[in-house]
Amino acid sequence: MEAKPWRDRVREEDELVEQLQNLVSESAARRAAALIEGVAELGTVADVARELGKSWNAVDAAIKKQKKKRQTTTE
């Protein structure tokens, strides 16, 4: 059996990378929505971070990143 030509392999890997990047982006949006829901329930980003064992900065950055993405896509 002959190996696929390198150009085909590169094209297939590029498609896979694009699919994975889309999945990561969608997951990040759902995660941010859940974090925002947690803030609404618990009161503060710090409370959510404490509950999850994450840093305040990580939770805040995840929320802000998604809000910023939403703003740039709706403009």
Side-chain angles (χ1 to χ4, degrees), residues 6-72:
W6 67 269
R7 286 178 180 89
D8 291 342
R9 294 192 324 260
V10 169
R11 193 174 306 112
E12 289 173 359
E13 294 304 323
D14 285 345
E15 290 172 4
L16 180 58
V17 167
E18 186 176 340
Q19 290 172 2
L20 291 171
Q21 287 172 334
N22 288 336
L23 287 172
V24 168
S25 179
E26 292 167 1
S27 176
R30 290 189 304 269
R31 182 174 181 268
L35 291 170
I36 291 167
E37 188 177 319
V39 171
E41 179 183 315
L42 298 179
T44 67
V45 169
D47 290 335
V48 171
R50 215 173 289 113
E51 176 81 18
L52 297 174
K54 306 277 184 191
S55 74
W56 177 91
N57 288 335
V59 173
D60 191 53
I63 291 170
K64 284 182 179 176
K65 184 176 182 179
Q66 287 305 309
K67 285 182 178 180
K68 186 176 180 181
K69 269 189 177 179
R70 252 187 266 137
Q71 285 178 337
T72 58

